[in-house]
Amino acid sequence: MRKAFKSFKDFIEICSRIESTSSILKKQEILAGFLKTLSRDEIKPFIMLISGKIFEKEERELGIGYRSVLSVLKRGKIRPLLEEGPISMVDVYKRLVRISEIKGESSIAKKRMMLHGLYNMLSSEEREYLTRIIFGEVRIGASEGLILKSIAEAIKAPLDEVKRAYLMIGDLGETAEIALIGGRNGLKRIKMKVFNPVKPMLATQARDVKEALISAGGRAAVEFKYDGARVQVHVKDEVLRIYSRSLIDLTQSFFDLADELKGKIRAKEAIVDGEVVAFSENGKPLPFQILVRRIKRIRKLPEIAERIPVRIFLFDVLYVDGKTLIDRPYMERIRVLESIANPDILAHRIITSDLKKAEDFYERAIKLGHEGVVVKNLLAPYILGSRERTWLKVKPAETLDLVIVGAEWGHGRRKGWLSDYYLAVYDDERDKLEIVGKTFKGLTDDEFREITRRLLSLKVAEEGNT
DNA sequence: CCTGTCTGCCCC
DNA sequence: ATTCTGC
DNA sequence: GCAGAATGGGCAGACAGG
């Protein structure tokens, strides 16, 4: 069957049809229908454009943002040298890729020039969509979930099969390509593979240890929750790579850790899950803000690495030597993890049904400078890319003593009250108040009246509305 | 060199 | 990361 | 309760321009 090439205009038409449809099922039907008419080279560009991403896992960036678009739009339209036919959907995508490839001196000007050329080929409606694509804000209600459903519908496969494949490869365009070309068999062949990072499982919040322990089944694992960056470590023979939560390769940023880990994971192949934490010389954990200085740093990385040593704490394992473990219960995975990893790179954990012991463990985590704990159901499988209630994080609520240093008269319902408060924190070292923010929430009407009265009695100056 | 501006499926 | 909203 | 969309703060790299 021969398929007609899609113009960018066809793409826009589908976008606006989906956007103006409120029913999710209808959107899905339109999308599935369109997917079926695409030739193989058009699948990936289409998926990327409609989800407003241009790139998925690639280490590439567009380098065009708000400022560049604004400057290009201000230039207005120029007359094209040749009257060209309608631009194809794939061509628009390729041009965006080409823009991303421009680097080095005067690259910004060149990028803007190319963008200008592209805008000039488009109608005003097409331009609007292109702008939305560039900002990653297509927002027509065709997000990840709907696209997966549409792929499933297009090839008449169960949604779970498509989802499973997507979670294993972590790339929507590739998933669509495999599904639409290779069908259900193509999807089934996809397996978890080393150096193919997958989306990590996430935890939901619990109020306190008691609530967490009860909902985790009474007897549960309690692990330290570290204040660092979530990472996935992949090993095969002598090669080791470290990926971030969003599947970015961070091996370079943590080159020292990567080296150290090679001798500490005893498996031919493995994918493990953990947290990287910065430590001070005296062995105290440092806050995330310190760690982040190493992430994606290039300049003076060795010096920074020396100054900010990091440790890793592994708490799960997804794959070992050809075996995918995500469907196995937590306890079994932990046993495997303990059998392949050195004890000094494992997250601190206890397994208990005793609330007192769990709470003591939590207190100890806080005292040692960690964020709190994560309480885990012992039977829970590892659900890729999902926020699950089988993992419950508990951390202390942030509280701060603040002083109201300014207020604005309210509008509408709050007319006559001071309702917008500037808050400051007292800086001991410099003996002065530092404004840290502003709030207008969290008070009842009576409290507003009371605060207005008290603030007026304490007033030192007034200007305009403030 | 240094400094300011823009950008980023950034990290949390 | 958190917060809000619509389903 | 869930998923999606919107939001914030801070940080470093790349480039432009002096």
Side-chain angles (χ1 to χ4, degrees):
Chain A
M1 180 174 60
R2 219 170 141 247
K3 294 168 177 175
F5 282 107
K6 295 290 181 290
S7 66
F8 190 57
K9 192 152 178 287
D10 296 331
F11 169 78
I12 299 300
E13 263 169 34
I14 287 296
C15 286
S16 63
R17 269 177 69 199
I18 291 173
E19 187 169 26
S20 61
T21 307
S22 59
S23 153
I24 290 173
L25 286 172
K26 259 274 179 320
K27 284 175 192 268
Q28 187 180 322
E29 202 182 305
I30 297 169
L31 201 48
F34 192 73
L35 281 173
K36 282 192 275 193
T37 69
L38 293 173
S39 65
R40 53 197 308 151
D41 300 340
E42 290 176 319
I43 299 168
K44 197 165 180 183
F46 171 69
I47 297 288
M48 300 318 258
L49 290 176
I50 203 161
S51 47
K53 288 186 196 174
I54 312 180
F55 302 118
E56 188 87 42
K57 294 181 296 193
E58 290 97 336
E59 305 274 315
R60 284 189 291 192
E61 286 162 353
L62 189 57
I64 290 277
Y66 172 77
R67 205 73 220 183
S68 291
V69 169
L70 205 72
S71 109
V72 166
L73 286 177
K74 268 209 303 236
R75 288 181 209 175
K77 210 163 161 71
I78 49 163
R79 191 188 297 277
L81 290 172
L82 299 163
E83 272 312 317
E84 298 172 68
I87 185 164
S88 75
M89 178 179 78
V90 174
D91 195 13
V92 170
Y93 180 72
K94 282 187 178 161
R95 279 163 190 261
L96 291 174
V97 172
R98 231 174 294 144
I99 288 174
S100 81
E101 284 163 351
I102 303 172
K103 287 188 174 66
E105 206 179 315
S106 51
S107 63
I108 292 178
K110 285 181 197 158
K111 277 173 194 274
R112 290 181 183 180
M113 201 124 71
M114 270 198 73
L115 188 67
H116 191 200
L118 182 53
Y119 269 114
N120 269 319
M121 304 175 76
L122 306 177
S123 69
S124 63
E125 198 192 9
E126 290 170 329
R127 265 188 252 170
E128 191 209 312
Y129 274 101
L130 180 61
T131 307
R132 284 159 71 172
I133 290 166
I134 288 168
F135 289 147
E137 296 173 344
V138 181
R139 270 186 284 198
I140 54 175
S143 45
E144 198 176 286
L146 186 85
I147 293 172
L148 289 171
K149 284 183 200 161
S150 306
I151 295 170
E153 187 180 324
I155 64 163
K156 306 247 177 301
L159 179 59
D160 280 348
E161 271 178 30
V162 181
K163 269 191 178 161
R164 186 194 146 278
Y166 170 58
L167 289 167
M168 299 282 178
I169 43 184
D171 182 317
L172 212 47
E174 239 175 271
T175 307
E177 225 169 64
I178 292 168
L180 293 165
I181 297 168
R184 290 179 65 176
N185 284 331
L187 290 179
K188 280 183 191 144
R189 273 197 294 274
I190 296 171
K191 286 206 183 79
M192 195 176 289
K193 264 203 327 237
V194 180
F195 306 128
N196 210 339
V198 292
K199 304 202 175 180
M201 178 167 166
L202 307 170
T204 53
Q205 217 143 14
R207 262 197 305 285
D208 49 42
V209 176
K210 188 178 176 191
E211 181 194 277
L213 195 64
I214 291 168
S215 68
R219 182 173 160 78
V222 187
E223 295 173 354
F224 276 10
K225 185 183 191 306
Y226 302 92
D227 185 14
R230 182 80 177 268
V231 294
Q232 206 170 87
V233 179
H234 290 226
V235 206
K236 180 173 182 161
D237 303 320
E238 282 305 292
V239 186
L240 186 146
R241 305 217 70 86
I242 300 172
Y243 301 95
S244 76
R245 190 183 140 181
S246 55
L247 319 187
I248 304 283
D249 192 331
L250 296 179
T251 313
Q252 270 317 302
S253 303
F254 301 120
F255 67 96
D256 44 350
L257 179 65
D259 253 8
E260 178 199 332
L261 279 177
K262 281 178 192 165
K264 292 187 171 177
I265 298 174
R266 293 176 302 277
K268 209 168 141 5
E269 277 188 324
I271 301 176
V272 291
D273 191 3
E275 188 93 0
V276 170
V277 188
F279 273 83
S280 66
E281 314 252 319
N282 58 20
K284 287 241 168 63
L286 296 169
F288 173 77
Q289 260 70 12
I290 304 295
L291 176 76
V292 86
R293 295 190 191 139
R294 281 190 63 163
I295 295 176
K296 290 191 89 186
R297 177 181 282 267
I298 297 170
R299 296 179 200 151
K300 297 184 182 173
L301 179 60
E303 289 152 69
I304 296 283
E306 194 127 337
R307 270 223 305 280
I308 310 173
V310 293
R311 290 184 61 188
I312 193 168
F313 299 96
L314 302 178
F315 47 73
D316 219 312
V317 57
L318 285 64
Y319 174 96
V320 173
D321 294 336
K323 287 197 201 72
T324 303
L325 302 169
I326 54 175
D327 296 325
R328 312 303 310 162
Y330 172 85
M331 271 316 290
E332 194 180 321
R333 297 198 307 276
I334 291 309
R335 260 184 242 121
V336 174
L337 180 64
E338 285 174 345
S339 75
I340 62 166
N342 268 20
D344 64 315
I345 54 169
L346 292 175
H348 213 50
R349 83 155 51 75
I350 57 168
I351 290 168
T352 186
S353 52
D354 185 335
L355 177 61
K356 178 76 170 53
K357 281 189 181 145
E359 282 173 338
D360 285 350
F361 191 76
Y362 171 74
E363 293 302 334
R364 187 139 50 94
I366 302 292
K367 200 166 283 172
L368 288 172
H370 302 299
E371 244 185 18
V373 293
V374 184
V375 179
K376 293 180 174 175
N377 184 309
L378 299 176
L379 303 174
Y382 191 105
I383 316 264
L384 296 176
S386 170
R387 199 171 283 285
E388 291 293 316
R389 322 200 62 223
T390 48
W391 286 11
L392 295 150
K393 53 182 169 186
V394 183
K395 52 183 179 182
E398 294 275 339
T399 63
L400 219 47
D401 293 323
L402 299 171
V403 185
I404 298 177
V405 292
E408 285 174 14
W409 289 105
H411 305 277
R413 219 175 75 80
R414 292 185 183 174
K415 205 167 162 62
W417 303 336
L418 288 164
S419 85
D420 226 2
Y421 308 121
Y422 289 88
L423 301 172
V425 65
Y426 184 70
D427 185 336
D428 282 328
E429 283 168 25
R430 286 185 292 171
D431 190 33
K432 61 184 268 223
L433 289 164
E434 197 72 45
I435 293 185
V436 292
K438 202 179 167 186
T439 185
F440 52 91
K441 292 203 298 192
L443 294 178
T444 65
D445 289 0
D446 282 342
E447 285 166 332
F448 272 118
R449 281 191 201 97
E450 170 66 9
I451 297 216
T452 301
R453 193 180 59 73
R454 287 178 55 187
L455 286 178
L456 287 176
S457 73
L458 296 168
K459 184 175 79 174
V460 291
E462 181 164 352
E463 46 176 278
N465 196 32
T466 310

